[in-house]
Amino acid sequence: MIKYGLHGKLTATPGNGDKLAQILLEAAKLVATAQGCHLYLVSQDQNNNDAVWVTEVWDSKEDHDNSLNVAGVKELISQAMPLLNGRPEKGQELRVLGGLGV
């Protein structure tokens, strides 16, 4: 039951963390119906409101990659990019072995 996981931090420009988080929450609604999506969790750092974490679990990396083609996702990416403080860092790829809710 090995799944593909991705965990990454996106940092917004000062004062834009809430806007970035809202865009990512909209993305979560869109990809919730994508093939292979088990989890798309958006979290905000308690010590830095401009740091937003995204944790994803998919059946495969291919399913994750295909989620970028879900209607509306590319538009949300284009809204989020100007809010970022620099280029997004590559997320940490994980081999999800199991657990509650997976």
Coordinates of all heavy atoms in Angstrom, one line a residue:
M1 N 0.8 -1.2 0.0 CA 0.0 0.0 0.0 C 0.9 1.3 0.0 O 0.5 2.3 0.6 CB -0.9 0.0 1.2 CG -1.9 1.1 1.1 SD -2.6 1.8 2.6 CE -1.4 2.7 3.4
I2 N 2.0 1.2 -0.6 CA 2.8 2.4 -0.6 C 2.2 3.5 -1.5 O 1.8 3.2 -2.6 CB 4.3 2.0 -1.1 CG1 4.9 1.1 -0.1 CG2 5.1 3.3 -1.3 CD1 6.2 0.5 -0.5
K3 N 2.2 4.7 -1.0 CA 1.7 5.9 -1.7 C 2.8 6.9 -1.9 O 3.8 6.8 -1.3 CB 0.5 6.5 -0.9 CG -0.6 5.6 -0.5 CD -1.5 5.3 -1.6 CE -2.7 4.4 -1.1 NZ -3.3 3.7 -2.1
Y4 N 2.5 7.9 -2.7 CA 3.4 9.0 -3.0 C 3.0 10.2 -2.1 O 1.8 10.6 -2.1 CB 3.3 9.4 -4.5 CG 4.1 10.6 -4.8 CD1 5.5 10.5 -4.9 CD2 3.5 11.8 -5.0 CE1 6.3 11.7 -5.2 CE2 4.3 13.0 -5.3 CZ 5.7 12.9 -5.4 OH 6.4 14.0 -5.7
G5 N 3.9 10.7 -1.4 CA 3.7 11.9 -0.5 C 4.6 13.0 -0.9 O 5.7 12.9 -1.4
L6 N 4.1 14.2 -0.6 CA 4.8 15.4 -0.9 C 4.5 16.4 0.3 O 3.3 16.6 0.7 CB 4.4 16.0 -2.2 CG 5.2 17.1 -2.8 CD1 6.6 16.7 -3.1 CD2 4.6 17.6 -4.1
H7 N 5.6 17.0 0.8 CA 5.4 17.9 1.9 C 6.3 19.1 1.6 O 7.5 18.9 1.4 CB 5.8 17.2 3.2 CG 5.7 18.1 4.4 ND1 4.4 18.5 4.9 CD2 6.6 18.6 5.3 CE1 4.6 19.2 6.0 NE2 5.9 19.3 6.2
G8 N 5.7 20.3 1.6 CA 6.5 21.4 1.2 C 6.0 22.7 1.9 O 4.9 22.8 2.3
K9 N 6.9 23.7 1.9 CA 6.6 25.0 2.6 C 6.7 26.0 1.5 O 7.6 26.1 0.7 CB 7.7 25.2 3.6 CG 7.6 26.6 4.3 CD 8.7 26.7 5.3 CE 8.9 28.1 5.7 NZ 10.1 28.3 6.6
L10 N 5.7 26.9 1.5 CA 5.6 28.0 0.6 C 5.6 29.3 1.5 O 4.9 29.3 2.4 CB 4.4 28.0 -0.3 CG 4.3 26.8 -1.2 CD1 2.8 26.4 -1.4 CD2 4.9 27.2 -2.6
T11 N 6.5 30.2 1.2 CA 6.6 31.4 2.0 C 6.1 32.6 1.1 O 6.6 32.8 0.0 CB 8.0 31.7 2.4 OG1 8.5 30.5 3.2 CG2 8.1 32.9 3.3
A12 N 5.1 33.3 1.7 CA 4.5 34.4 1.0 C 5.4 35.7 1.3 O 6.1 35.7 2.3 CB 3.1 34.7 1.5
T13 N 5.2 36.7 0.5 CA 5.8 38.0 0.8 C 5.1 38.5 2.1 O 4.0 38.1 2.4 CB 5.6 39.0 -0.4 OG1 4.2 39.0 -0.7 CG2 6.4 38.5 -1.6
P14 N 5.8 39.4 2.8 CA 5.2 39.8 4.1 C 3.8 40.3 4.0 O 3.4 41.1 3.1 CB 6.2 41.0 4.5 CG 7.5 40.6 3.8 CD 7.1 40.0 2.5
G15 N 3.0 39.7 4.9 CA 1.6 40.1 5.0 C 0.6 39.4 4.0 O -0.6 39.6 4.1
N16 N 1.2 38.5 3.2 CA 0.3 37.8 2.2 C 0.1 36.3 2.5 O -0.4 35.5 1.7 CB 0.9 37.9 0.8 CG 0.7 39.3 0.2 OD1 -0.5 39.8 0.3 ND2 1.7 39.9 -0.3
G17 N 0.5 35.9 3.7 CA 0.3 34.5 4.1 C -1.2 34.0 4.0 O -1.5 32.9 3.6
D18 N -2.1 34.8 4.5 CA -3.5 34.5 4.5 C -4.0 34.3 3.1 O -4.8 33.4 2.8 CB -4.3 35.5 5.3 CG -4.1 35.4 6.8 OD1 -3.6 34.3 7.3 OD2 -4.3 36.4 7.5
K19 N -3.6 35.3 2.2 CA -4.1 35.2 0.8 C -3.5 33.9 0.1 O -4.3 33.2 -0.6 CB -3.6 36.4 0.0 CG -4.3 37.7 0.3 CD -3.7 38.8 -0.5 CE -4.2 40.1 -0.1 NZ -3.6 41.3 -0.8
L20 N -2.3 33.6 0.4 CA -1.7 32.4 -0.2 C -2.4 31.2 0.3 O -2.7 30.2 -0.4 CB -0.2 32.3 0.1 CG 0.6 31.1 -0.4 CD1 0.5 31.0 -1.9 CD2 2.0 31.1 0.1
A21 N -2.7 31.1 1.6 CA -3.4 30.0 2.2 C -4.7 29.8 1.6 O -5.2 28.7 1.3 CB -3.5 30.2 3.7
Q22 N -5.5 30.9 1.4 CA -6.8 30.8 0.8 C -6.7 30.2 -0.6 O -7.6 29.4 -1.0 CB -7.5 32.2 0.8 CG -8.0 32.6 2.2 CD -8.9 31.6 2.8 OE1 -9.8 31.1 2.2 NE2 -8.6 31.2 4.0
I23 N -5.7 30.6 -1.4 CA -5.6 30.1 -2.8 C -5.3 28.6 -2.7 O -5.9 27.8 -3.5 CB -4.5 30.9 -3.5 CG1 -4.9 32.3 -3.8 CG2 -4.1 30.1 -4.8 CD1 -3.8 33.2 -4.3
L24 N -4.4 28.2 -1.8 CA -4.1 26.8 -1.6 C -5.3 26.0 -1.1 O -5.5 24.8 -1.5 CB -2.9 26.6 -0.7 CG -1.6 27.1 -1.3 CD1 -0.5 27.2 -0.3 CD2 -1.2 26.3 -2.5
L25 N -6.2 26.6 -0.3 CA -7.4 25.9 0.1 C -8.3 25.7 -1.1 O -9.0 24.7 -1.1 CB -8.0 26.6 1.3 CG -7.3 26.6 2.6 CD1 -7.9 27.6 3.6 CD2 -7.4 25.1 3.2
E26 N -8.4 26.7 -2.0 CA -9.2 26.5 -3.2 C -8.6 25.4 -4.0 O -9.4 24.6 -4.6 CB -9.2 27.8 -4.0 CG -10.1 28.9 -3.4 CD -11.6 28.5 -3.2 OE1 -12.1 27.9 -4.2 OE2 -12.1 28.7 -2.1
A27 N -7.3 25.3 -4.1 CA -6.7 24.2 -4.9 C -7.0 22.9 -4.2 O -7.3 21.9 -5.0 CB -5.1 24.4 -4.9
A28 N -7.1 22.8 -2.9 CA -7.5 21.6 -2.3 C -8.9 21.1 -2.7 O -9.1 19.9 -2.9 CB -7.4 21.8 -0.7
K29 N -9.8 22.1 -2.8 CA -11.1 21.7 -3.3 C -11.1 21.1 -4.7 O -11.8 20.2 -5.0 CB -12.0 22.9 -3.2 CG -12.4 23.4 -1.9 CD -13.2 24.7 -1.9 CE -13.3 25.4 -0.6 NZ -14.0 26.7 -0.7
L30 N -10.3 21.7 -5.5 CA -10.2 21.2 -6.9 C -9.6 19.9 -7.0 O -10.1 19.0 -7.8 CB -9.4 22.2 -7.8 CG -10.1 23.6 -8.0 CD1 -9.1 24.5 -8.8 CD2 -11.4 23.5 -8.6
V31 N -8.5 19.6 -6.3 CA -7.8 18.4 -6.5 C -8.4 17.2 -5.7 O -8.0 16.1 -5.8 CB -6.3 18.5 -6.2 CG1 -5.6 19.4 -7.2 CG2 -6.0 18.8 -4.8
A32 N -9.3 17.6 -4.8 CA -10.0 16.6 -4.0 C -10.7 15.5 -4.8 O -10.8 14.3 -4.4 CB -11.0 17.2 -3.0
T33 N -11.1 15.8 -6.0 CA -11.7 14.9 -6.9 C -10.8 14.3 -7.9 O -11.2 13.4 -8.7 CB -12.9 15.5 -7.6 OG1 -12.4 16.6 -8.4 CG2 -13.9 16.1 -6.7
A34 N -9.5 14.7 -7.9 CA -8.5 14.2 -8.8 C -8.2 12.7 -8.6 O -8.2 12.3 -7.4 CB -7.2 15.0 -8.8
Q35 N -8.0 12.0 -9.6 CA -7.6 10.5 -9.5 C -6.4 10.4 -8.6 O -5.4 11.0 -8.7 CB -7.3 9.9 -10.8 CG -7.0 8.5 -10.7 CD -6.7 7.9 -12.1 OE1 -7.3 8.3 -13.1 NE2 -5.8 6.9 -12.2
G36 N -6.5 9.5 -7.6 CA -5.4 9.1 -6.7 C -5.2 10.1 -5.5 O -4.2 9.8 -4.8
C37 N -6.0 11.1 -5.4 CA -5.7 12.0 -4.3 C -6.3 11.5 -3.0 O -7.5 11.2 -2.9 CB -6.3 13.4 -4.6 SG -6.0 14.6 -3.2
H38 N -5.5 11.4 -1.9 CA -6.0 10.9 -0.6 C -5.9 12.0 0.4 O -6.7 12.0 1.3 CB -5.1 9.8 -0.1 CG -5.3 8.5 -0.9 ND1 -6.3 7.6 -0.7 CD2 -4.6 8.1 -2.0 CE1 -6.2 6.6 -1.5 NE2 -5.1 6.9 -2.4
L39 N -5.0 13.0 0.2 CA -4.9 14.1 1.2 C -4.2 15.3 0.5 O -3.3 15.1 -0.3 CB -4.0 13.6 2.3 CG -3.6 14.6 3.4 CD1 -4.9 14.9 4.3 CD2 -2.5 14.1 4.3
Y40 N -4.8 16.4 0.8 CA -4.2 17.7 0.4 C -4.5 18.6 1.5 O -5.6 19.2 1.6 CB -4.8 18.2 -0.9 CG -4.1 19.4 -1.5 CD1 -3.2 19.3 -2.6 CD2 -4.3 20.7 -1.0 CE1 -2.5 20.4 -3.1 CE2 -3.6 21.8 -1.5 CZ -2.7 21.6 -2.6 OH -2.1 22.7 -3.1
L41 N -3.5 18.7 2.4 CA -3.7 19.5 3.7 C -2.9 20.8 3.6 O -1.7 20.8 3.3 CB -3.2 18.6 4.8 CG -3.2 19.1 6.2 CD1 -4.7 19.2 6.7 CD2 -2.4 18.2 7.1
V42 N -3.6 21.9 3.9 CA -3.0 23.2 3.9 C -2.9 23.6 5.4 O -3.9 23.6 6.1 CB -3.8 24.2 3.1 CG1 -3.2 25.6 3.2 CG2 -3.9 23.7 1.7
S43 N -1.7 24.0 5.8 CA -1.4 24.4 7.2 C -0.6 25.8 7.2 O 0.1 26.0 6.3 CB -0.6 23.4 7.9 OG -1.2 22.1 7.9
Q44 N -0.9 26.5 8.2 CA -0.1 27.8 8.4 C 0.8 27.7 9.6 O 0.3 27.2 10.7 CB -1.1 28.9 8.5 CG -0.6 30.3 8.1 CD -1.7 31.2 7.7 OE1 -2.8 31.1 8.2 NE2 -1.4 32.2 6.9
D45 N 2.0 28.1 9.5 CA 3.0 28.1 10.6 C 2.5 28.9 11.7 O 2.1 30.1 11.5 CB 4.3 28.5 10.0 CG 5.5 28.2 11.0 OD1 5.4 28.6 12.2 OD2 6.5 27.7 10.5
Q46 N 2.5 28.4 12.9 CA 2.0 29.2 14.1 C 3.0 30.3 14.4 O 2.5 31.3 15.0 CB 1.9 28.3 15.3 CG 0.7 27.3 15.2 CD 0.5 26.5 16.5 OE1 1.4 26.4 17.3 NE2 -0.6 25.9 16.6
N47 N 4.2 30.2 14.0 CA 5.2 31.3 14.4 C 5.5 32.2 13.2 O 6.2 33.2 13.4 CB 6.5 30.6 14.8 CG 6.3 29.8 16.1 OD1 5.7 30.2 17.0 ND2 6.8 28.6 16.1
N48 N 5.0 31.9 12.0 CA 5.2 32.8 10.9 C 4.0 32.7 10.0 O 3.9 31.7 9.2 CB 6.5 32.3 10.1 CG 6.7 33.2 8.9 OD1 6.0 34.1 8.5 ND2 7.8 32.8 8.2
N49 N 3.1 33.6 10.0 CA 1.9 33.6 9.3 C 2.1 33.6 7.8 O 1.2 33.2 7.1 CB 1.0 34.8 9.7 CG -0.5 34.6 9.5 OD1 -0.9 33.5 9.9 ND2 -1.2 35.6 9.1
D50 N 3.2 34.0 7.3 CA 3.5 34.0 5.9 C 4.1 32.7 5.4 O 4.3 32.5 4.2 CB 4.5 35.1 5.6 CG 3.9 36.5 5.8 OD1 2.7 36.6 5.5 OD2 4.6 37.4 6.2
A51 N 4.3 31.7 6.3 CA 4.7 30.3 5.9 C 3.5 29.4 5.8 O 2.8 29.2 6.8 CB 5.8 29.8 6.8
V52 N 3.3 28.8 4.7 CA 2.2 27.9 4.5 C 2.7 26.5 4.0 O 3.6 26.5 3.1 CB 1.2 28.4 3.4 CG1 0.0 27.5 3.2 CG2 0.7 29.9 3.8
W53 N 2.3 25.5 4.7 CA 2.7 24.1 4.4 C 1.7 23.4 3.7 O 0.5 23.5 4.0 CB 3.1 23.4 5.7 CG 4.3 24.0 6.4 CD1 4.3 25.1 7.3 CD2 5.6 23.5 6.3 NE1 5.6 25.3 7.7 CE2 6.4 24.4 7.2 CE3 6.2 22.5 5.7 CZ2 7.8 24.2 7.3 CZ3 7.6 22.3 5.8 CH2 8.3 23.2 6.6
V54 N 2.1 22.6 2.7 CA 1.1 21.7 2.0 C 1.6 20.3 2.1 O 2.8 20.0 1.8 CB 1.0 22.1 0.5 CG1 0.1 21.2 -0.2 CG2 0.5 23.5 0.4
T55 N 0.7 19.4 2.6 CA 1.0 18.0 2.7 C 0.1 17.2 1.8 O -1.1 17.4 1.9 CB 0.9 17.5 4.2 OG1 1.7 18.4 5.0 CG2 1.3 16.1 4.3
E56 N 0.6 16.4 1.0 CA -0.2 15.7 0.0 C 0.1 14.2 0.0 O 1.2 13.8 0.2 CB 0.1 16.2 -1.4 CG -0.1 17.6 -1.6 CD 0.3 18.1 -3.0 OE1 -0.2 17.6 -4.0 OE2 1.2 19.0 -3.1
V57 N -0.9 13.4 -0.2 CA -0.8 11.9 -0.3 C -1.6 11.5 -1.6 O -2.8 11.8 -1.7 CB -1.3 11.1 0.9 CG1 -1.1 9.6 0.6 CG2 -0.5 11.5 2.1
W58 N -0.9 10.8 -2.5 CA -1.4 10.4 -3.8 C -1.1 8.9 -4.0 O -0.2 8.3 -3.4 CB -0.8 11.1 -4.9 CG -1.1 12.6 -4.8 CD1 -0.4 13.6 -4.1 CD2 -2.1 13.3 -5.5 NE1 -1.0 14.8 -4.3 CE2 -2.0 14.6 -5.2 CE3 -3.1 12.9 -6.4 CZ2 -2.9 15.6 -5.7 CZ3 -4.0 13.8 -6.9 CH2 -3.9 15.2 -6.5
D59 N -1.9 8.2 -4.8 CA -1.6 6.9 -5.2 C -0.2 6.8 -5.8 O 0.5 5.8 -5.6 CB -2.7 6.3 -6.1 CG -3.9 5.9 -5.4 OD1 -3.9 5.6 -4.2 OD2 -5.0 5.8 -6.1
S60 N 0.1 7.8 -6.7 CA 1.4 7.7 -7.4 C 1.8 9.1 -7.7 O 1.0 10.1 -7.7 CB 1.2 6.9 -8.7 OG 0.4 7.6 -9.6
K61 N 3.1 9.3 -8.1 CA 3.6 10.6 -8.5 C 2.9 11.0 -9.8 O 2.7 12.2 -10.0 CB 5.1 10.5 -8.7 CG 5.7 11.8 -9.1 CD 7.2 11.8 -9.2 CE 7.9 13.1 -9.5 NZ 7.2 14.0 -10.4
E62 N 2.6 10.0 -10.6 CA 1.9 10.3 -11.9 C 0.5 11.0 -11.6 O 0.2 12.0 -12.2 CB 1.7 9.1 -12.7 CG 1.0 9.3 -14.0 CD 0.9 8.0 -14.8 OE1 0.5 7.0 -14.2 OE2 1.1 8.1 -16.0
D63 N -0.2 10.4 -10.6 CA -1.5 11.1 -10.2 C -1.3 12.5 -9.7 O -2.0 13.4 -10.1 CB -2.2 10.2 -9.2 CG -2.8 9.0 -9.7 OD1 -3.0 8.9 -10.9 OD2 -3.0 8.0 -8.9
H64 N -0.2 12.7 -8.9 CA 0.1 14.1 -8.5 C 0.3 15.0 -9.7 O -0.2 16.1 -9.8 CB 1.3 14.1 -7.5 CG 1.8 15.4 -7.3 ND1 2.8 16.0 -8.0 CD2 1.4 16.4 -6.4 CE1 3.0 17.2 -7.5 NE2 2.2 17.5 -6.6
D65 N 1.2 14.5 -10.6 CA 1.6 15.4 -11.7 C 0.3 15.7 -12.6 O 0.2 16.8 -13.1 CB 2.6 14.7 -12.5 CG 4.0 14.6 -11.8 OD1 4.2 15.3 -10.8 OD2 4.8 13.8 -12.3
N66 N -0.5 14.7 -12.7 CA -1.8 14.9 -13.5 C -2.7 15.9 -12.9 O -3.6 16.5 -13.6 CB -2.5 13.5 -13.8 CG -1.7 12.7 -14.8 OD1 -0.9 13.2 -15.6 ND2 -1.9 11.4 -14.7
S67 N -2.6 16.0 -11.6 CA -3.5 17.0 -10.9 C -3.3 18.4 -11.3 O -4.2 19.2 -11.2 CB -3.4 16.8 -9.4 OG -2.2 17.5 -8.9
L68 N -2.2 18.7 -11.9 CA -1.9 20.0 -12.4 C -2.8 20.4 -13.6 O -2.9 21.5 -14.0 CB -0.5 20.2 -12.8 CG 0.5 20.1 -11.6 CD1 2.0 20.1 -12.1 CD2 0.3 21.1 -10.5
N69 N -3.4 19.3 -14.2 CA -4.3 19.5 -15.4 C -5.8 19.6 -15.0 O -6.6 19.8 -15.9 CB -4.1 18.4 -16.4 CG -2.7 18.4 -16.9 OD1 -2.1 19.4 -17.2 ND2 -2.1 17.2 -17.0
V70 N -6.1 19.5 -13.7 CA -7.5 19.7 -13.3 C -7.9 21.1 -13.6 O -7.1 22.1 -13.3 CB -7.6 19.4 -11.7 CG1 -9.0 19.8 -11.2 CG2 -7.3 17.9 -11.5
A71 N -9.1 21.3 -14.1 CA -9.6 22.6 -14.5 C -9.5 23.6 -13.3 O -10.0 23.3 -12.2 CB -11.1 22.5 -14.9
G72 N -8.9 24.7 -13.5 CA -8.8 25.8 -12.5 C -7.5 25.8 -11.8 O -7.1 26.8 -11.1
V73 N -6.7 24.6 -11.7 CA -5.5 24.6 -10.9 C -4.4 25.5 -11.5 O -3.8 26.2 -10.7 CB -5.0 23.1 -10.9 CG1 -3.6 23.1 -10.3 CG2 -5.9 22.3 -10.0
K74 N -4.2 25.5 -12.8 CA -3.2 26.4 -13.3 C -3.5 27.9 -13.1 O -2.6 28.7 -12.8 CB -3.0 26.2 -14.8 CG -2.3 24.8 -15.1 CD -2.1 24.6 -16.5 CE -1.5 23.2 -16.7 NZ -1.3 22.8 -18.0
E75 N -4.8 28.2 -13.1 CA -5.2 29.6 -12.8 C -4.9 30.0 -11.3 O -4.4 31.1 -11.0 CB -6.7 29.8 -13.0 CG -7.1 29.8 -14.5 CD -7.2 28.4 -15.1 OE1 -7.0 27.3 -14.4 OE2 -7.5 28.3 -16.3
L76 N -5.1 29.0 -10.4 CA -4.7 29.3 -9.0 C -3.2 29.4 -8.8 O -2.8 30.2 -8.0 CB -5.3 28.2 -8.1 CG -6.8 28.2 -7.9 CD1 -7.3 26.9 -7.2 CD2 -7.3 29.4 -7.3
I77 N -2.5 28.6 -9.6 CA -1.0 28.7 -9.5 C -0.6 30.1 -9.9 O 0.3 30.7 -9.3 CB -0.4 27.6 -10.3 CG1 -0.6 26.2 -9.7 CG2 1.1 27.9 -10.5 CD1 -0.2 25.1 -10.6
S78 N -1.2 30.6 -11.0 CA -0.8 31.9 -11.5 C -1.2 33.0 -10.5 O -0.6 34.1 -10.5 CB -1.4 32.2 -12.9 OG -2.8 32.3 -12.8
Q79 N -2.3 32.8 -9.7 CA -2.6 33.8 -8.7 C -1.6 33.7 -7.5 O -1.3 34.7 -6.9 CB -4.0 33.5 -8.1 CG -5.1 33.8 -9.1 CD -6.5 33.4 -8.5 OE1 -6.7 33.3 -7.3 NE2 -7.4 33.0 -9.4
A80 N -1.1 32.5 -7.2 CA -0.3 32.3 -6.0 C 1.2 32.8 -6.3 O 1.8 33.3 -5.4 CB -0.3 30.9 -5.6
M81 N 1.6 32.6 -7.5 CA 3.1 32.9 -7.8 C 3.5 34.4 -7.4 O 4.5 34.5 -6.8 CB 3.4 32.7 -9.3 CG 3.3 31.2 -9.6 SD 4.4 30.1 -8.6 CE 6.0 30.6 -9.4
P82 N 2.7 35.4 -7.7 CA 3.1 36.8 -7.3 C 3.2 37.0 -5.8 O 3.8 37.9 -5.4 CB 2.1 37.7 -8.0 CG 1.4 36.8 -9.0 CD 1.5 35.4 -8.5
L83 N 2.5 36.1 -5.1 CA 2.5 36.3 -3.6 C 3.7 35.6 -2.9 O 3.9 35.9 -1.7 CB 1.2 35.6 -3.0 CG -0.1 36.2 -3.5 CD1 -1.3 35.4 -2.9 CD2 -0.2 37.7 -3.1
L84 N 4.4 34.8 -3.7 CA 5.5 34.1 -3.1 C 6.8 34.9 -2.9 O 7.1 35.8 -3.7 CB 5.9 32.9 -4.0 CG 4.8 31.8 -4.1 CD1 5.3 30.7 -5.0 CD2 4.4 31.2 -2.7
N85 N 7.4 34.7 -1.8 CA 8.7 35.4 -1.5 C 9.8 34.5 -2.1 O 10.4 33.7 -1.4 CB 8.9 35.5 0.0 CG 10.0 36.4 0.4 OD1 10.6 37.0 -0.5 ND2 10.3 36.5 1.7
G86 N 10.1 34.7 -3.4 CA 11.1 33.9 -4.1 C 10.4 32.7 -4.7 O 9.2 32.5 -4.6
R87 N 11.3 31.9 -5.4 CA 10.8 30.7 -6.1 C 10.4 29.7 -5.0 O 11.1 29.6 -4.0 CB 11.9 30.2 -7.0 CG 12.2 31.0 -8.2 CD 13.2 30.3 -9.1 NE 12.6 29.0 -9.4 CZ 12.5 28.5 -10.7 NH1 12.8 29.3 -11.7 NH2 12.0 27.4 -10.9
P88 N 9.4 28.9 -5.3 CA 9.0 27.9 -4.3 C 10.1 26.8 -4.3 O 10.7 26.5 -5.3 CB 7.7 27.3 -4.9 CG 7.6 27.8 -6.2 CD 8.5 29.0 -6.4
E89 N 10.4 26.3 -3.1 CA 11.4 25.3 -2.9 C 10.7 24.0 -3.3 O 9.5 23.8 -3.2 CB 11.8 25.2 -1.4 CG 12.5 26.5 -0.9 CD 12.8 26.4 0.5 OE1 13.0 25.3 1.1 OE2 12.9 27.4 1.2
K90 N 11.6 23.0 -3.8 CA 11.1 21.7 -4.1 C 10.6 21.0 -2.8 O 11.3 21.0 -1.8 CB 12.2 20.9 -4.7 CG 11.7 19.5 -5.2 CD 12.9 18.8 -5.8 CE 12.4 17.5 -6.5 NZ 11.8 16.5 -5.7
G91 N 9.4 20.5 -2.9 CA 8.9 19.8 -1.7 C 9.6 18.5 -1.4 O 10.3 18.0 -2.3
Q92 N 9.5 18.1 -0.2 CA 10.1 16.8 0.2 C 9.2 15.7 -0.3 O 8.0 15.6 0.1 CB 10.3 16.8 1.7 CG 11.0 15.6 2.2 CD 11.2 15.6 3.7 OE1 10.6 16.5 4.4 NE2 12.0 14.7 4.2
E93 N 9.8 14.8 -1.1 CA 9.0 13.6 -1.6 C 9.1 12.5 -0.5 O 10.2 12.3 0.0 CB 9.5 13.2 -2.9 CG 9.3 14.2 -4.0 CD 9.7 13.7 -5.4 OE1 11.0 13.6 -5.5 OE2 8.9 13.4 -6.2
L94 N 8.0 11.9 -0.3 CA 7.9 10.8 0.7 C 7.3 9.6 0.2 O 6.5 9.6 -0.7 CB 7.1 11.3 1.9 CG 7.5 12.6 2.6 CD1 6.4 13.1 3.5 CD2 8.8 12.5 3.3
R95 N 7.7 8.4 0.7 CA 7.1 7.2 0.4 C 6.2 6.9 1.6 O 6.6 6.5 2.7 CB 8.2 6.1 0.3 CG 7.7 4.8 -0.2 CD 8.8 3.8 -0.5 NE 10.0 4.0 0.4 CZ 10.4 3.0 1.1 NH1 9.9 1.8 1.1 NH2 11.4 3.3 2.0
V96 N 4.9 7.0 1.4 CA 3.9 6.9 2.5 C 3.6 5.4 2.7 O 3.2 4.7 1.7 CB 2.6 7.7 2.1 CG1 1.6 7.5 3.2 CG2 3.0 9.2 1.9
L97 N 3.9 4.9 3.8 CA 3.7 3.5 4.1 C 2.3 3.1 4.7 O 1.9 2.0 4.5 CB 4.8 3.0 5.1 CG 6.2 3.3 4.7 CD1 7.2 2.9 5.8 CD2 6.5 2.6 3.4
G98 N 1.6 4.1 5.3 CA 0.3 3.8 5.8 C 0.0 4.7 7.0 O 0.8 5.7 7.3
G99 N -1.1 4.4 7.6 CA -1.5 5.2 8.8 C -3.0 5.6 8.7 O -3.7 5.1 7.8
L100 N -3.4 6.3 9.6 CA -4.8 6.7 9.7 C -5.2 7.6 8.6 O -4.5 8.6 8.3 CB -5.1 7.4 11.0 CG -6.5 7.8 11.3 CD1 -7.4 6.5 11.4 CD2 -6.6 8.5 12.6
G101 N -6.3 7.3 7.9 CA -6.8 8.2 6.8 C -6.1 8.1 5.5 O -6.4 8.8 4.6
V102 N -5.2 7.2 5.3 CA -4.5 7.0 4.1 C -5.2 5.9 3.2 O -5.5 4.9 3.7 CB -3.0 6.7 4.3 CG1 -2.3 6.5 3.0 CG2 -2.4 7.9 5.0

